[in-house]
Amino acid sequence: MPWTIYGYILREMVKVLIPTALVLVLITSFAAALKPLSDGLLSPPTFVRFVFFMAPTMIQFTLPFAGAFACVLVLHRMAADNEILACRAGGIGYGMILLPVVVLGIAFMLGMFLMSNWMIPRFFRAAERTLENDVTQMLVSELGKGRPFDKLRDDLVLYADDAYVDDTPPRIEGAPIQPSRLIMLRGVAVAMLDADGRLAADATAEQADIYLFRDEQAQRSWLALRLSNAQGYDLRNQRSIAFTDQPVFNIPVPNPFRDEPQFLSWPELRRLSREPVRFDNVAEARDRLARAVARESLLARLTETWSAGRGATLLGSRAGERYVIHAPRWERTDRGVRLLAGENAPVVIEYLTGGLLARRYHALTAAVEIDVDEPLVEPAIQVKINQAQVFNERFGGRGTELSEWNMPAMRWPDDLLAPLQRGRELEPLR
């Protein structure tokens, strides 16, 4: 075996391969970091660290090109210097001359298989954690300076008078995953935008807490925004938004390394085949299905109550508020339920606070719509009454007439969406 020739060819290819691979890795790493930087997800100090973690992940793309370039350049130079002709004259065939190239290719294949399935995904996760930490730091920095923050979602803008960070947040009783960081806000305003970037809804609160959760098994991070003493308004439908004591806005942390196969290790790919709900796309489809099931379940409960001749009891946005809706007749519509008055029996809505009757609404018709879109956690019930009389019990039953009125948002007393999202009720639908 011509070991001298083989060693010479391999040495020359490695001499070209190493600087070529380094240059390509550096260029592609910077290119991969440009989009998070331009999107405002990376601060300049963190940019270098992000590039450092991205460099090993780029080897899987640059090494084959660098190897091909090195082989072509070395063999071309050997042919130009008549070295291949000399080898052929010495009895070494072309196949034997190409053997070092084949060996190098096999080594690349085995190395890339090991790196792509075990080593490179770890660097992707390290880059993801760097991006995640920087987003939360930028959130605190921007809000602390009195600037609005819109980097979490395209349709969400946050503002706060003050922002503080607690790296040792208190435990949340009953939560399967405990938060890793707490961001406390004071004087909070939340704006939700439509597809055209115009204001669609807003909410204000005295204070808010943002919990950062990290699911290591699912390799997913999200922020849970809890508002206190909040008031909201939906500009599109001209109605108020109901908030419970502490509604939750679940905001996934922006991550360019979603659960695509190239970002997963071999064990993670095998786990996905057994637990597809861990895949982001499957989880999002499952959440949409859960919202649709919750909506239909709520409509079914309402119509069953009215069909039995009973009043449907709903919760208001404040503690102690109750609404009891009596409907002589009803019919399903595309957007919910239409309530109709019967013979000498109007649609009656009783408003109770602190257990005492405060107002009664007698309406000719009423439209009931169910809103399960984000950021509302539980389905919100919107009621619009027409041709109504309002009787105020505090003023001796005297009332006024309303031709049309959008009542404050209500909700069903029991949780409908949360059990579907965290439980296994949808498991048979996989």
Side-chain angles (χ1 to χ4, degrees), residues 103-224:
V103 172
L104 187 64
I106 294 175
F108 280 0
M109 180 187 68
L110 296 177
M112 295 309 302
F113 177 79
L114 295 175
M115 292 181 64
S116 299
N117 288 284
W118 280 275
M119 295 179 59
I120 290 179
R122 295 185 179 182
F123 285 97
F124 273 125
R125 299 309 177 194
E128 176 186 345
R129 294 299 294 271
T130 300
L131 185 64
E132 168 191 306
N133 293 333
D134 200 53
V135 167
T136 56
Q137 292 173 3
M138 290 179 63
L139 171 64
V140 175
S141 176
E142 292 295 311
L143 294 180
K145 296 177 182 178
R147 301 173 182 172
F149 192 81
D150 58 355
K151 307 302 181 184
L152 295 177
R153 285 192 341 194
D154 294 336
D155 59 346
L156 188 66
V157 181
L158 294 178
Y159 174 84
D161 293 334
D162 295 299
Y164 310 92
V165 180
D166 184 1
D167 291 325
T168 57
R171 291 181 56 84
I172 300 178
E173 296 296 333
I177 300 176
Q178 294 300 323
S180 59
R181 182 175 297 180
L182 171 62
I183 303 174
M184 295 172 287
L185 308 179
R186 298 295 180 269
V188 184
V190 182
M192 288 151 278
L193 310 179
D194 59 16
D196 298 326
R198 294 175 297 186
L199 183 63
D202 60 12
T204 57
E206 294 180 1
Q207 61 184 22
D209 295 329
I210 300 180
Y211 292 91
L212 174 62
F213 292 90
R214 173 73 181 177
D215 188 348
E216 294 295 345
Q217 292 186 349
Q219 297 294 337
R220 185 182 306 171
S221 300
W222 68 94
L223 299 173

Side-chain angles (χ1 to χ4, degrees), residues 49-86:
R49 189 190 313 166
F50 187 80
V51 170
F52 173 78
F53 286 124
M54 285 299 299
T57 67
M58 294 296 108
I59 294 178
Q60 60 181 328
F61 306 111
T62 60
L63 197 57
F65 289 98
F69 177 76
C71 293
V72 171
L73 193 63
V74 170
L75 293 178
H76 178 269
R77 187 186 58 77
M78 290 180 64
D81 294 343
N82 294 323
E83 292 178 347
I84 293 182
L85 183 60

